[in-house]
Amino acid sequence: MLNGEKKIARPFRWAMVGGGRTAGVGYKHRTGALRDNTAFQLVAGAFDIDPVRGKDFGVNIGVDESRCYPDYKTMFAEEAKREDGIEAVSIATPNGTHYEITKAALEAGLHVVCEKPLFFTVAEAQEIKELAEEKGKIVGVTYGFSGNQMMLQMRAMVEQGKIGDIRIVELQYTHGFNATDKADAISEAQKWRVDPKIAGPSFVLGDLSTHTYYMSQLIMPNMKISKLLCDRQSIVGSRAPLEDNAFVLMHYENGAVGRLWTSSVDAGCMDGHRIRIVGSKASLEWWDSKPNELRYEVQGEPAQTLIRAMPYLDESCLADERLGALHQEGLSDAWANIYLKFAVAMDAKNRGDEETLKNLVYPDINAGLEGIRWIENCVRSADAGAAWVEFE
C-alpha cells in the first residue's frame, strides 16, 4: 500500500511544456506528479504559446516568475545554466510538437514524460528510443487510465490462468462530446485535434483508442496481433480525412479474435471506456465508470465482483493501493500511480538499476512506440478501403 513515504532519495526538479490555463490535461499532469510531494517538484515551465498568459498562469500555481519561460527552447537553455536546473519535463502540447520537444529535451539531458500519441510515425519513435538509450534517459507516456491498479489485477489473473486461454478481446472507448461540430470552432483544445497538420493521421484512434490498446497490452503482455481491419468514418463531414468514429477487428497470433470501437460522436455517452477479456474458463470485465470494481465471471458459477483494496487481490494490485477499502479511487489516483512509477524509473535509470527497470510495469517508450504502430496499421487498413492488413 502507498502511504506517501518517499520511494526515491529526493523529488526530481520538474518542468512542464504546455498544460497551461486553457489546456484541459495540464491539471491531470500536476495532480499526478505532485501527489505526496515525494516524486516531483514543479520548479519551471513554458506553460503557454502566449508567453504573457503562460507567465501569469505559472505564477498563479506557485512557480517563480523568473522560471516561467516564453518557450521550451529558452527554458532548456536557461535551466541548463543553473545548479538547481530541471531534471525532467512533461510535454502537454498538441501532437505535432511532441517529437521536436522530446528530442530537444533528451539532447538537453532531461528525462521526458509525453502526452499520447507520442509521435506521428514509428520511425520517429525508433529514433527517439535510440536517443533516450544513448542519453541514459527515460521517456514515459501518459496513458493515465492504465494507472488504475485493477489493470494489474487483470494482468495477474491472466498470467495465473484464472480465465484459461484467451479467446476474445472486446475494447471500447467512446463518448459523445463531439457529436456536433460546435466545439471544432470554439474550443482551442478541439480545433487542433481535427487538423491533420497538428493532430497527425488520426483523431479518435490516437486520442482515445491508444489508451485502451495499451491497457490491453498491459493486461495481456504475451498477446500479439497478427492482422487487423479498420473501418473509420468522419461522421461530422468537416473532420475528414480524420475519423471521429472507428471500428477495428483484430486477429491475434494465438487464434484469439478482438474488436475495438472508438468514437467521439456516441451521443449521450458520458463514459464508454470498457475492457472485456474472454477466456476458455472465465471472463474479466472492467468499466472506467466503475474503476474500483472488476467483474469476474466463471462459466457455470455466480458472477463475482472483485473490489479494489480487498486482501484477496494480487500483491501487484495491492501495491498501488492508496485509500483503503470503502473509499473510492479514480483517475487522479491512476495518474499519481503512473507518475510515481515514472519517478522510480528515472531514479533507477540514473543509478543504473536495470533490475528495477526490468520489473517495473508502466507506460514507457516502448508503449508509446506500440501505440504509434497501432495507429499506423489502422490508418493503412482504413485507407485501403477497410482491408485486412498484416500487423507490421
Side-chain angles (χ1 to χ4, degrees):
M1 183 173 181
L2 299 172
N3 63 2
E5 293 185 75
K6 62 184 182 180
K7 297 287 186 182
I8 58 177
R10 63 169 180 80
F12 282 90
R13 296 186 295 273
W14 173 61
M16 290 195 69
V17 179
R21 184 171 292 143
T22 62
V25 77
Y27 189 61
K28 297 181 182 73
H29 283 268
R30 292 188 294 278
T31 297
L34 302 177
R35 180 71 60 87
D36 304 327
N37 202 36
T38 60
F40 296 94
Q41 290 182 340
L42 182 62
V43 299
F47 297 105
D48 202 308
I49 195 169
D50 180 333
V52 175
R53 185 172 62 187
K55 177 174 283 192
D56 183 65
F57 174 79
V59 170
N60 276 322
I61 62 171
V63 177
D64 189 281
E65 181 177 0
S66 68
R67 299 178 80 172
C68 294
Y69 298 97
D71 56 71
Y72 75 88
K73 292 179 181 178
T74 302
M75 179 169 70
F76 293 167
E78 292 302 311
E79 287 292 311
K81 300 174 184 177
R82 303 177 61 110
E83 289 187 5
D84 63 347
I86 58 174
E87 302 165 291
V89 63
S90 288
I91 300 168
T93 58
N95 301 350
T97 64
H98 292 176
Y99 168 77
E100 65 181 54
I101 302 175
T102 300
K103 185 175 182 179
L106 290 171
E107 289 174 339
L110 303 174
H111 295 288
V112 178
V113 174
C114 188
E115 267 298 321
K116 50 74 217 161
L118 197 52
F119 312 124
F120 283 179
T121 68
V122 168
E124 289 176 338
Q126 291 281 14
E127 179 189 342
I128 292 299
K129 179 180 177 180
E130 291 173 8
L131 180 60
E133 291 171 352
E134 175 190 328
K135 297 293 185 180
K137 300 301 175 183
I138 292 296
V139 176
V141 186
T142 50
Y143 291 129
F145 296 97
S146 71
N148 186 293
Q149 62 260 47
M150 296 308 270
M151 297 297 102
L152 294 174
Q153 178 65 27
M154 296 178 78
R155 178 187 177 103
M157 294 177 75
V158 167
E159 288 180 343
Q160 294 161 9
K162 295 292 182 65
I163 67 170
D165 297 328
I166 295 173
R167 292 174 169 175
I168 301 169
V169 177
E170 186 166 294
L171 309 173
Q172 177 182 335
Y173 191 176
T174 67
H175 63 72
F177 286 97
N178 301 134
T180 72
D181 63 359
K182 182 178 179 181
D184 296 6
I186 63 175
S187 168
E188 292 299 322
Q190 176 62 12
K191 281 181 182 178
W192 68 259
R193 284 180 164 83
V194 294
D195 182 346
K197 295 189 296 294
I198 304 173
S202 73
F203 172 21
V204 293
L205 284 166
D207 202 44
L208 302 180
S209 75
T210 50
H211 278 290
T212 322
Y213 177 63
Y214 169 66
M215 291 158 74
S216 73
Q217 287 189 306
L218 187 159
I219 295 164
M220 311 176 299
N222 298 319
M223 290 281 287
K224 308 299 181 185
I225 296 173
S226 60
K227 61 181 179 179
L228 62 72
L229 179 155
C230 177
D231 187 12
R232 64 174 179 166
Q233 301 80 37
S234 307
I235 302 294
V236 176
S238 59
R239 294 175 181 148
L242 300 188
E243 80 292 335
D244 49 22
N245 190 83
F247 301 93
V248 184
L249 298 178
M250 298 165 285
H251 285 184
Y252 291 85
E253 291 178 356
N254 75 331
V257 296
R259 66 179 181 180
L260 178 146
W261 175 31
T262 184
S263 180
S264 68
V265 294
D266 185 6
C269 177
M270 292 295 294
D271 195 340
H273 201 177
R274 170 177 173 256
I275 298 174
R276 182 174 177 85
I277 312 295
V278 180
S280 56
K281 298 192 296 188
S283 300
L284 293 168
E285 185 166 338
W286 178 87
W287 285 84
D288 178 50
S289 59
K290 295 182 178 180
N292 294 267
E293 300 180 6
L294 177 61
R295 186 84 166 172
Y296 179 39
E297 300 169 345
V298 179
Q299 180 60 33
E301 299 180 10
Q304 303 175 50
T305 300
L306 308 183
I307 305 296
R308 200 208 85 248
M310 294 303 291
Y312 50 71
L313 298 178
D314 190 79
E315 284 299 320
S316 62
C317 173
L318 294 173
D320 285 352
E321 175 57 39
R322 292 176 180 273
L323 301 181
L326 302 182
H327 306 294
Q328 300 299 297
E329 291 189 10
L331 186 58
S332 294
D333 302 284
W335 275 76
N337 287 342
I338 64 166
Y339 256 101
L340 180 57
K341 289 176 181 177
F342 290 151
V344 170
M346 292 173 188
D347 178 69
K349 194 68 172 178
N350 286 353
R351 295 184 293 103
D353 182 357
E354 294 300 323
E355 188 66 20
T356 291
L357 289 170
K358 183 178 70 174
N359 294 313
L360 194 63
V361 179
Y362 74 102
D364 60 5
I365 182 68
N366 293 311
L369 191 156
E370 289 307 312
I372 300 167
R373 192 188 310 280
W374 157 263
I375 296 169
E376 283 194 347
N377 279 277
C378 287
V379 170
R380 186 162 58 91
S381 167
D383 289 354
W388 283 99
V389 297
E390 298 297 318
F391 196 80
E392 299 177 352

